[in-house]
Structure formats: structure tokens, C-alpha cells
Amino acid sequence: MSTTPSPSTPKPSGLSKFLDRRSFLRTSAVSGAGLYLATSKGAIAQGTEAGRKIKCALVGCGAQGDRLRAAASQIPTGIQWVAVSDIREDKRRVMARYMELQNKHQVDGPVAQFETIEEMLDKQADIEAVFIATPDFLHAPFSRMALAKGKSVYCEKMMSNTIEGARDMVKAGREFNGIFQIGHQRHSNPRYVHLREKIIKNDLLGRVTHCYGQWNRGVSASTPLGAPKKNPVSPELLARYGYGSMEEFLNWRWFAKYGGGPISDLGAHQIDMFNWMYETTPVSLYAAGGVDYYDGTPGADGAPKAKFELPDNVMCLYEYKLPTGTMRAYYQVLTTTGSQGYYEKHMGVNGSAIISESPTSNQVYAEPGQDWTKWTTGDNPILVKAPDNIKNKFWEHNRSWTKPAPKSYAVSGVAKAVADARESKALDPWEIPVTLSVYPHTPHVANFIEAVQMKKPEHLTCNVMDAFKSCVTVLKAYDCLQTGQKYTFTPADFEV
């Protein structure tokens, strides 16, 4: 990490063309303008075929699959949807129809529908890239199937619900030498890239000593799903893919054999950021948590609550050894409250940054005595002043004199001494000058498509080995929960 700040801004190229846009506009969920592909000119210059469309298929037509479809819809060129696969007929039929209507610029004729991935790979030979958005336990076998057929693969995170499954995915990627992206989409998010490359690496925060992340979600997100009256999957087909019942199939995230629990579903994104931001892995971990609420008993309304096999709340404390010294990172995932939502914070001796995929968290705060004005110059500034703190009128500027406080507000004596001793001076607020006017997954999907066009796995922003290290970092929390002891990582934990 650089320790010599430099206010100079290099000429933007590649991904920086996408992220270095000076604007105070807040992120919108959807942009009619579509996505500016970060390296589309580079892809053409490197060239396999200028503007070549990649024939894509989607496996898993549930909520996450639809997010990928919607994200892809904002990419103007490079994708042609040709097939979908899901064991639920109603889901694959609706997904194909969505593609034909909402992704019509990416469709040339009817989208083929298949019940199983095996059938799809055997019958639809023109597929070049497969997007996998199934329950976690199927990621490893389905990725291997697609790679073995010579397809490029974009697989949703978590890589797997087991470290063994994730390790096999790394081996499959090496064995078949394919383009293999894992869906940790923050790696391609221009706001996150800006924080890492321009703020942390330019040492604006100084020595980072602590990080914090959370994803708090309320109980309404964990309501049990009942089996649909129409279009149920046959028991035989469910059993073929390892499901015990339709209820387990619909609520797979609650079961250890299908998923990794909330720490995996939600926490994986943000714990991954601890590794990615500082380009390293932790040395130790403490964790606490349990199934403290979702135990299947009746709730306040009398209806039975969900019944989790895996902890419904987890708190983790990671220790990292950075070149500048020890850094500790705390993470919590709660499923009984949505208090303050989800975000990550990076805290250094010179400043702190708070960021989230939600644009409400976009701030950088300077500690007293830090002058960051030099980072605001040029066409592509590293920071901009928070709009609420820009003073355009003379009466808004700081006074050179002190306005007397009303008598009732005056603090003196012991009370004043306590307040002065315990409270730090307010920090100076700034903002990251980067906006994202498309879905958070869109830049990551675009990055994958470009890598396939160029046939360059090194172009990927989240390759399978990087994702494996994050998978280990997350799932080792279960070792701590089972033993009640600190877990000490070894280099072998992160090797395949």
C-alpha cells in the first residue's frame, strides 16, 4: 500500500473510465441510459471480434437469477440470451418471457427452456456462457458440468455451502481453463473500486486500524414459503437434485445441506470486502451466534416462525496483519432487525470511510488537522465536499467570533470537564465523487462478458481463487461457533 500521497490524477483508462465521473447525483436504481462498459473499447482493441455477442444461458430462475437478468438488461451490447433452465416449469417459462420482453435487445427469437442443466448443455450446443443462480450446494457440480462442456461460467456467490465444494470449483476452473467469475459484484462496483484504488491506496485514511460491517434484516424477510398449489415439482425430480421436499426446496436457505446460512447469504459480500480492500486474508477469528429466534415456535401473531438449522445471528471479529500493523474487522449479521441496514466502514488514524451498495452510505470523514482540499482538484477528483457542507453564502461561513450560548445551554464545572474529555471534535465530512446509475450487479456482469469476448481470464475482477479465499474466511466462522474457541488461520487454509 502506498504511503506517499500524490494528488496527481492519471489519465483514466479501463475501469477508471467508468468510475471517474464527477457528479453529486445520488445513485438511482435504474438508468434508462444503460451502462457505459468500462473496457468495451479495450475489448475491441484486444479483439476477438468487435461487438461480438456472447450466447448466454441462465440456470436457476428464482429471485437471484432474475436479478442477474435485470442487471444484464442494462448492458447495451455483447449478450444474447438463448436458454434458461429450472426444475420448476412455471419459473423457467416466466423467465424466458421476461427475457423476450425486458431484454428484447438481447434476444433473437424464442428463448429455449429446459428442465435440467444436463439437458440444456446436451441440446443447446451454441451456448458460450452459463450464469448459475441456484442454491449454493449446486454451484460446484453445475459449474463443473458447464466448464467441462467448454462454457464460460458466472456463478453466484457464495461459491459453495462447504469449503470442500468451493475447493472443487477452483480445481474445475484449473482443469478446464475456462473464464470463471464468482458473483462478488462489489469487485466491479466503481464506487468500491474508487475507495480502494484512490482513497485507501493513496493513504488518505492513514493507518487503518479497524473495519466494521453489518447486514441487519428484519423478520419479514424470513417468512416461510409454502408449496405452490400449481406447478409443483415432482418428488422424483426433487430427490434427483437432493431435495427432501418442496418446502425444503423453497426454503433452502434455512438448511445446512443446501446453503450456508445468513453469514453466507448476506455476510459473504461484506466480509469479502475486508480481504479485497487490503489484498490479504485474516490471521485469526472469533465468532459468536446461534439459532436464537427462528426455532419454529409460534411468533407474536401465533403463526409458526421459520426454523433455521444454521445460526440466525452471527458476530465475527477478524484480525489482519497489514504492512502498517494489526487491523481488526468486526462483522455482524442479524435477521431480527433491520436497524441501520447494511454498510461497511473503514477507520484509520487520519480519516474514515463508510460505503454501501446503497448510495446513502458514501461518506469519507477527515480527522481534525487533515487538509484534504488537494484531493478535490482536476477533472477526476478523489473527493468532493459533501453538498450539505458547501458554503455559498457569506453568512454560512464559519464566524471569527463566538456567539454566546443561552444561559440554559451553558455547561460548566465538572459537566464541562467530562464532556471535553470524552468527546472528540466532529470530523470533516466529504463524499466519494462516483455514482452508479445501474443495478449493482451490472458492472460485474459486464466485466464477465468482456473477459469472455477477449478470452482473457485475467480480465475478471473476481476470479475463482480470490472468491475461494473469501469463502474460507466466511465459513470458518462455523468452526468457532462449534468449538467456542478462537480460530487461527494458516496459509494452507487458503491454498488449493
Side-chain angles (χ1 to χ4, degrees):
M1 198 179 305
S2 171
T3 57
T4 306
S6 171
S8 62
T9 304
K11 182 179 179 181
S13 62
L15 186 58
S16 64
K17 289 183 180 179
F18 184 34
L19 63 89
D20 286 332
R21 295 178 293 160
R22 188 173 187 176
S23 172
F24 292 110
L25 296 176
R26 288 294 192 185
T27 304
S28 60
V30 184
S31 170
L35 172 69
Y36 169 61
L37 289 180
T39 54
S40 55
K41 291 183 179 179
I44 293 172
Q46 297 284 347
T48 50
E49 182 179 339
R52 184 170 75 89
K53 289 185 178 180
I54 304 301
K55 294 186 176 181
C56 299
L58 174 64
V59 180
C61 299
Q64 193 58 42
D66 193 54
R67 287 190 185 94
L68 291 177
R69 176 206 61 78
S73 73
Q74 297 178 318
I75 301 174
T77 61
I79 295 178
Q80 180 181 345
W81 292 108
V82 297
V84 296
S85 170
D86 197 290
I87 61 175
R88 281 187 65 172
E89 185 277 333
D90 58 327
K91 290 292 185 181
R92 63 180 182 264
R93 172 169 39 84
V94 170
M95 181 62 70
R97 188 60 176 155
Y98 276 172
M99 288 178 173
E100 292 162 2
L101 293 175
Q102 298 179 18
N103 299 63
K104 58 186 177 181
H105 63 292
Q106 298 171 335
V107 172
D108 184 12
V111 175
Q113 303 172 38
F114 298 94
E115 185 174 71
T116 69
I117 184 175
E118 294 93 338
E119 179 189 17
M120 184 187 75
L121 292 173
D122 286 342
K123 293 183 177 180
Q124 192 80 27
D126 61 343
I127 295 171
E128 296 177 77
V130 176
F131 288 79
I132 297 175
T134 63
D136 296 352
F137 79 115
L138 294 173
H139 288 175
F142 283 8
S143 293
R144 179 172 280 277
M145 284 182 200
L147 290 165
K149 291 282 188 176
K151 316 303 181 185
S152 297
V153 172
Y154 181 113
C155 182
E156 262 303 334
K157 71 89 207 145
M158 191 66 150
M159 280 181 74
S160 175
N161 61 324
T162 68
I163 292 175
E164 294 73 21
R167 184 172 279 111
D168 184 67
M169 293 173 75
V170 176
K171 292 178 180 178
R174 292 173 179 171
E175 183 178 346
F176 299 108
N177 197 30
I179 307 293
F180 197 180
Q181 175 99 303
I182 304 300
H184 287 288
Q185 70 271 3
R186 285 168 173 77
H187 290 219
S188 299
N189 188 313
R191 294 172 59 244
Y192 280 84
V193 173
H194 186 92
L195 174 59
R196 185 176 85 156
E197 299 298 321
K198 299 297 183 68
I199 295 175
I200 291 177
K201 288 189 177 181
N202 273 317
D203 206 33
L204 270 72
L205 305 184
R207 177 186 166 187
V208 176
T209 59
H210 295 85
C211 293
Y212 173 84
Q214 70 167 54
W215 196 314
N216 292 347
R217 189 173 66 179
V219 296
S220 61
S222 297
T223 302
L225 299 176
K229 295 180 180 179
K230 296 182 179 180
N231 302 304
V233 181
S234 70
E236 293 77 18
L237 188 57
L238 286 172
R240 176 179 169 184
Y241 285 96
Y243 297 103
S245 67
M246 192 66 188
E247 284 73 19
E248 288 187 11
F249 170 71
L250 293 171
N251 301 292
W252 64 269
R253 295 180 187 276
W254 305 350
F255 299 92
K257 60 183 176 180
Y258 308 130
I263 190 66
S264 170
D265 291 339
L266 305 176
H269 283 299
Q270 295 163 297
I271 294 172
D272 169 64
M273 285 294 95
F274 298 153
N275 289 2
W276 183 75
M277 282 288 178
Y278 303 97
E279 301 179 57
T280 189
T281 52
V283 297
S284 67
L285 162 67
Y286 289 99
V291 181
D292 299 330
Y293 183 81
Y294 297 102
D295 55 6
T297 60
D301 59 358
K305 294 177 292 189
K307 188 173 183 179
F308 285 15
E309 289 184 353
L310 295 169
D312 55 32
N313 69 102
V314 181
M315 284 70 70
C316 296
L317 181 61
Y318 294 94
E319 182 178 306
Y320 290 81
K321 296 298 183 184
L322 304 184
T324 53
T326 297
M327 179 188 82
R328 290 186 172 87
Y330 172 80
Y331 183 77
Q332 70 174 36
V333 58
L334 307 181
T335 56
T336 52
T337 174
S339 175
Q340 296 183 311
Y342 61 99
Y343 65 91
E344 305 94 59
K345 185 181 288 187
H346 302 263
M347 293 168 277
V349 296
N350 293 341
S352 300
I354 181 170
I355 191 169
S356 172
E357 283 190 330
S358 168
T360 56
S361 296
N362 191 54
Q363 294 77 39
V364 188
Y365 297 93
E367 290 282 339
Q370 296 298 312
D371 182 5
W372 284 353
T373 54
K374 66 181 178 181
W375 303 105
T376 65
T377 59
D379 294 333
N380 299 301
I382 291 177
L383 293 172
V384 293
K385 197 62 182 171
D388 292 344
N389 291 277
I390 296 175
K391 311 300 182 184
N392 295 314
K393 307 292 192 302
F394 75 87
W395 58 82
E396 294 176 331
H397 289 262
N398 293 331
R399 292 185 291 268
S400 59
W401 50 273
T402 302
K403 180 179 180 180
K407 186 175 181 180
S408 60
Y409 294 164
V411 178
S412 61
V414 176
K416 184 176 188 299
V418 171
D420 288 347
R422 295 186 181 182
E423 291 189 30
S424 297
K425 183 179 178 181
L427 305 187
D428 188 18
W430 301 75
E431 287 201 359
I432 298 171
V434 180
T435 61
L436 183 64
S437 57
V438 292
Y439 291 123
H441 290 75
T442 301
H444 206 48
V445 173
N447 171 256
F448 169 69
I449 293 299
E450 290 177 340
V452 177
Q453 288 174 324
M454 294 188 288
K455 298 183 179 179
K456 287 193 170 185
E458 64 271 20
H459 183 70
L460 297 172
T461 57
C462 186
N463 63 58
V464 69
M465 190 62 207
D466 288 341
F468 171 76
K469 293 176 182 178
S470 290
C471 187
V472 172
T473 302
V474 173
L475 293 183
K476 282 298 181 182
Y478 287 120
D479 287 44
C480 291
L481 295 176
Q482 290 169 1
T483 65
Q485 303 294 319
K486 173 182 177 180
Y487 185 84
T488 301
F489 292 97
T490 68
D493 284 326
F494 300 104
E495 296 172 355
V496 179

